[in-house]
Amino acid sequence: DFSTMDQEVIQCVAASYSIDGMKGIRNPRFMYGRKLTAHLNVVTVAKTARENLSNCLARCHLDIESILPSAYVAGLSCLNYEEINDSAIVFDCGAGNIDVGFFLEGKLVYTAFFPLGGKILTKDIQQVFSLSNAVAEKLKVVYGSVLHDFVGKKDLINLKELMQSNQIDDEFSTISSYKLAKILHDRCREIFIYLRDHFRNSPEINQLFQKMSGKIILTGGGANLLGLAALELKKGSEVI
C-alpha cells in the first residue's frame, strides 16, 4: 500500500516488469524466472483535497464513482487508438497547471503537473501593459500569438474596439502587436525549457522523453494560443 497519512493512491499502473534483472518486459505471463519486479507508476492525491472535493459534490447531491489523473483523462479524450497503444506525450495546458502524461503501449507510464498555466501569461500581459486582469485575458485569447517574427513591429491593437468601451484613455488605447507576441513567446519558451530540463533530471524519464518526443500532443485551453505547437516543436532552442 503506497498510501500515507496525508496521501491517497488514485491510480497504480505497472509500466513494465523485470525478470531476474532482464528489464523492459511488458507482459510477464507464461515467462519463467526466479525474481519478478514490477515498475509502477503510482499517482497519489492529498486526502484533504479529495475530502473537500467529495464534500463539495455531496452538497450538490453528486457521488464520485472514481478519481483519475487529469493527464490520463486528457490522453483518453484526445489521443487516437494508435497513439495510445504506440507512444505519445500529452501536455494538458490549463489556466493554473500544465499536466503531462507519457503514454506507452496503452499505459500511462509517467505523469506530472506543473503550476505554469495560462494565468502566468495573463499576468505578464497585465503587468507589462498596465491592464486589468479581464482585459489582459481577453487580449490573450483574441490576439495572443507566439509568432512574433510574423507580426509587424508597427502593427497596433485597438483596446477600445476589443473591449467595446470608450472608458479607456486615448493615450493607452493601443498596444503593439509585436510586443504582445514577444512577451508570450518568451514566457512560453521559458516554460518549455523548464519542462525539458525537468525531464532530463531523471535518466529513465529522459530516455522516455527522447524516445517519445516526436509525438507530443497539446490540449486544453492554453493550447489554443496561436503558434504554440510550432514553438514547442522547434528544434535547437526549445523542448525537443
Side-chain angles (χ1 to χ4, degrees), residues 94-187:
N97 300 318
I98 295 178
D99 296 288
V100 180
F102 287 26
F103 288 82
L104 183 63
E105 297 184 0
K107 299 177 181 179
L108 179 68
V109 297
Y110 173 75
T111 183
F113 85 96
F114 306 88
L116 302 170
K119 289 182 179 178
I120 294 179
L121 304 179
T122 303
K123 195 70 175 178
D124 288 344
I125 297 171
Q126 181 183 359
Q127 292 179 345
V128 172
F129 295 111
S130 300
L131 302 172
S132 67
N133 184 267
V135 174
E137 177 66 23
K138 191 169 184 179
L139 190 63
K140 180 188 71 176
V141 172
V142 177
Y143 293 102
S145 169
V146 299
L147 303 175
H148 65 291
D149 291 336
F150 299 93
V151 178
K153 293 187 177 182
K154 295 183 179 180
D155 292 349
L156 298 176
I157 299 172
N158 192 322
L159 296 180
K160 287 186 176 182
E161 292 181 0
L162 175 69
M163 301 307 299
Q164 296 181 346
S165 172
N166 293 322
Q167 297 179 356
I168 302 175
D169 295 337
D170 291 338
E171 184 181 354
F172 305 102
S173 62
T174 59
I175 63 171
S176 168
S177 298
Y178 175 84
K179 189 174 183 180
L180 173 64
K182 190 68 167 63
I183 292 168
L184 295 175
H185 171 275
D186 291 349
R187 177 62 79 178

Side-chain angles (χ1 to χ4, degrees), residues 12 31 46 73 77 79 92 124 129 136 176 180 188 205 214 223 225 232:
C12 182
M31 297 183 69
V73 177
S77 65
L79 297 179
D92 185 7
D124 288 344
F129 295 111
S176 168
L180 173 64
C188 289
I205 301 305
L225 194 63
E232 178 263 328

